[in-house]
Amino acid sequence: MIHLPARAVVAFVLFSTAVTACVAADATATKPVAIGDSAVDFTLPIVSGEGELTLSEEFKKGPVVLVVLRGYPGYQCPLCSRQVGDLVKVAGDLAKLSERVILVYPGEPNELEAHAEEFMGKTTLPEPIVLVRDPGLQMVSSWHLRWDAPNETAYPATFVIDGDGKVVWAKISDSHGGRTSATEVVQKLKSL
């Protein structure tokens, strides 16, 4: 049997505890924002409009739907276009149930504005829907939604945030599909 001095045992226990705490902290630091979490605030530029949008200013007025698109991963995502089209179709219902529907279009800063405007084409988004740019994927990174793979930007995700800034519903896809439908968003808002 090996006998260690008491100081060595204490040092080993303290070291092990510190390593465990660091590993646990690192593991939670990379988890996406989830139900029950406070929404991480951001201010992003509005596409095809003047000014910026600050998340906390929006949810103070009432529930907010936050939809993270793939943005520009080297091409315009057809599934993102379909998802936005579905949300536009139920804009009237969304306006009755939420203060704002924020669509986040992430990508590298170089030419992101042009790509976002290309994504919108001649479409004018009805109230309460607005499209914002996330240059440099800052919002996506702060919400831990960065899809760090070739030709990817962000995991498609949808969140419902209440007037206190708490995430009350979330759906994050780990693929291009598996996104929230417009009907599902309306149902979640009705249940608030």
Side-chain angles (χ1 to χ4, degrees), residues 10-75:
V10 169
F12 176 76
V13 168
L14 290 174
F15 174 76
S16 297
T17 303
V19 168
T20 302
C22 287
V23 169
D26 187 48
T28 59
T30 59
K31 289 184 180 177
V33 172
I35 295 171
D37 291 346
S38 293
V40 179
D41 202 12
F42 59 77
T43 300
L44 294 173
I46 298 170
V47 174
S48 300
E50 293 184 26
E52 298 176 322
L53 178 142
T54 299
L55 177 61
S56 59
E57 293 301 316
E58 298 300 323
F59 67 65
K60 285 178 187 174
K61 302 171 196 171
V64 168
V65 177
L66 177 67
V67 180
V68 179
L69 305 170
R70 290 182 61 227
Y72 192 78
Y75 59 93

Side-chain angles (χ1 to χ4, degrees), residues 97-120:
L97 300 167
S98 66
E99 180 58 36
R100 180 69 69 194
V101 176
I102 303 167
L103 308 174
V104 179
Y105 188 90
E108 296 304 322
N110 187 26
E111 299 183 21
L112 184 62
E113 183 174 358
H115 291 307
E117 289 179 5
E118 175 188 337
F119 176 76
M120 288 307 305

Side-chain angles (χ1 to χ4, degrees), residues 115-136:
H115 291 307
E117 289 179 5
E118 175 188 337
F119 176 76
M120 288 307 305
K122 295 181 181 187
T123 302
T124 301
L125 294 173
E127 286 292 326
I129 305 170
V130 65
L131 180 69
V132 296
R133 294 186 315 275
D134 182 14

